[in-house]
Amino acid sequence: MAAAPDDPSPAAPDPVAWLRLIRSRRVGAVTFHRLLQDHGSAEAALAALPEIARAAGVERYAPCPEEVARDELSRGRLAGARLLRHGGPGYPPALMDLPDAPPVLWAQGDVGLLARPMVALVGARNASSLGLRMARRLAEQLAEAGYVVVSGLARGIDAEAHRAALAGGTVAVQAGGVEVIYPAENAGLASEVAARGCRISEQPMGLEPQARHFPLRNRIISGLARAVIVVEAAARSGSLITAKDALDQGREVFAVPGHPFDARAAGCNMLLRDGATLIRHAADVIEAIGKARPDAAMPVAPPLPPAPPPLPGPVPERRPLREVALLHGRILERLGPSPLAEDQLIRDLALPAAHVAPELLALELEGRIQRQAGGLLSRLD
């Protein structure tokens, strides 16, 4: 399979510069978009990065070398993968409005599926036979109703959902490089998905997935979908992270109930207790979100509702990235592994809460701080 260019127009952004920027140290998705907004282009942002880092207390900072980005592009071409850039051709429309949308995605297979309406189906790796049967039936019925089924290519519920939806269309979001298959036992299924569906990843080619990559993958799964269905999940599982991401992104969350004595159903039952919609079959999902036409021309997600009118008061002024970087440095200096109350942090910084709160969210999205129950914050190293 030959790789297709992501944008043939002469005015298209340089893919090398985009890859260099997102692969640079301390540049996550939120920071990438902010840099691009502030500086107008990836090239200008790369030139500004060392000074921004210096202002944040990081000396001798160097962006990702050009040869590293060029090597990644070469490896992508060899793998038959296509590079999709935020806002460019083929990029999933459902991800466009997310504040932490992946700046780039590597894709193998039918990129056209990314423009169709999707439903995510996730659940336990050690699924029961009943859970697997439920996942298979849901995926088949959703595919028949015109939905593309998206999941994470893990063993258990994910794998069953992909297999059942192959004929109608399925998308696998991977935690590592798009050509790195994990778990290895799903290699045959991964080949089928690439041939009949689509596999995508925001990670560099060749990257072996690590634990911290899976929550990042989960936000893409939920972001692509109109709704997330959890079939089986333990009380502490990645499927619940996906469900939380879905709620944060304004997506619907559905759960299949399970027996109270079955630990694999504990997560689903918790979701139902907390307000998720109970489902018995795909018709319950379709009744809630509507039936999709099976053709590939539909947008993935309905338009977002208009933003509520702003509250009375002055409009906050958008601060330059240099000032934001300095504030990030001050926040991280005051946080450590031991939790600190958010209101105490704001008092220590001697800044208005309206200035600090957005930057705390940005640091949380970048995986640099963790928010805990009771308004506590801690630093992640």
Side-chain angles (χ1 to χ4, degrees):
M1 182 193 313
D6 55 322
D7 191 343
S9 68
D14 178 11
V16 174
W18 272 51
L19 281 176
R20 287 186 65 202
L21 186 57
I22 189 55
R23 304 305 184 216
S24 293
R25 286 183 305 123
R26 302 195 178 205
V27 176
V30 174
T31 302
F32 178 98
H33 295 301
R34 182 66 181 272
L35 285 165
L36 218 58
Q37 183 180 25
D38 284 355
H39 296 278
S41 70
E43 293 86 348
L46 286 165
L49 264 181
E51 178 57 33
I52 294 168
R54 194 175 300 113
V58 181
E59 299 294 336
R60 296 187 296 277
Y61 180 93
C64 172
E66 182 175 332
E67 56 268 25
V68 172
R70 292 196 180 279
D71 178 68
E72 183 174 347
L73 284 172
S74 297
R75 296 179 72 169
R77 284 193 292 269
L78 287 173
R82 177 176 174 179
L83 184 68
L84 309 178
R85 286 175 294 195
H86 187 270
Y91 190 89
L95 299 181
M96 284 296 297
D97 293 328
L98 301 185
D100 58 347
V104 296
L105 290 168
W106 282 107
Q108 287 183 322
D110 183 2
V111 177
L113 292 174
L114 302 175
R116 284 178 51 189
M118 295 189 219
V119 171
L121 211 161
V122 297
R125 288 170 170 79
N126 62 332
S128 66
S129 58
L130 194 61
L132 293 173
R133 190 167 69 186
M134 184 66 173
R136 183 164 58 249
R137 182 172 299 177
L138 284 169
E140 289 171 347
Q141 293 173 346
L142 289 166
E144 288 171 3
Y147 283 102
V148 172
V149 173
V150 57
S151 197
L153 201 62
R155 61 174 62 93
I157 297 297
D158 289 24
E160 198 66 24
H162 287 307
R163 288 192 192 95
L166 275 170
T170 188
V171 170
V173 185
Q174 297 172 224
V178 74
E179 87 287 29
V180 178
I181 308 306
Y182 180 86
E185 68 198 59
N186 281 347
L189 174 61
S191 296
E192 285 191 84
V193 173
R196 304 169 64 186
C198 187
R199 300 202 324 247
I200 63 172
S201 173
E202 68 175 328
Q203 300 296 346
M205 301 294 296
L207 180 79
E208 294 287 341
Q210 299 177 24
R212 68 178 184 273
H213 299 136
F214 288 90
L216 295 172
R217 175 206 61 178
N218 293 347
R219 88 189 193 286
I220 300 176
I221 292 175
S222 57
L224 286 169
R226 287 185 180 177
V228 171
I229 303 171
V230 185
V231 176
E232 282 185 339
R236 294 174 61 87
S237 73
S239 298
L240 297 191
I241 296 175
T242 310
K244 179 183 180 300
D245 288 338
L247 292 171
D248 292 342
Q249 295 162 344
R251 275 50 170 172
E252 300 278 352
V253 174
F254 301 95
V256 176
H259 196 284
F261 289 168
D262 188 347
R264 288 170 296 198
C268 288
N269 291 339
M270 286 168 54
L271 288 173
L272 292 169
R273 178 199 65 191
D274 295 339
T277 302
L278 183 150
I279 61 162
R280 303 155 297 168
H281 36 62
D284 291 335
V285 180
I286 296 165
E287 181 182 356
I289 65 174
K291 187 170 182 178
R293 293 193 348 246
D295 60 287
M298 291 182 66
V300 175
L304 294 174
L311 294 173
V315 177
E317 193 175 296
R318 190 168 67 86
R319 289 166 290 155
L321 193 58
R322 177 189 176 92
E323 185 181 330
V324 172
L326 284 169
L327 178 53
H328 284 191
R330 292 180 62 194
I331 292 170
L332 294 172
E333 281 175 6
R334 285 164 173 77
L335 291 178
S338 299
L340 176 69
E342 182 176 341
D343 56 356
Q344 181 61 54
L345 172 66
I346 292 171
R347 283 196 296 271
D348 292 345
L349 293 169
L351 289 171
H355 286 189
V356 179
E359 306 315 327
L360 291 176
L361 176 60
L363 288 169
E364 185 183 5
L365 289 171
E366 291 175 24
R368 304 182 68 186
I369 67 173
Q370 183 177 42
R371 193 179 299 273
Q372 301 176 24
L376 299 176
L377 300 168
S378 59
R379 178 172 176 169
L380 296 174
D381 292 321

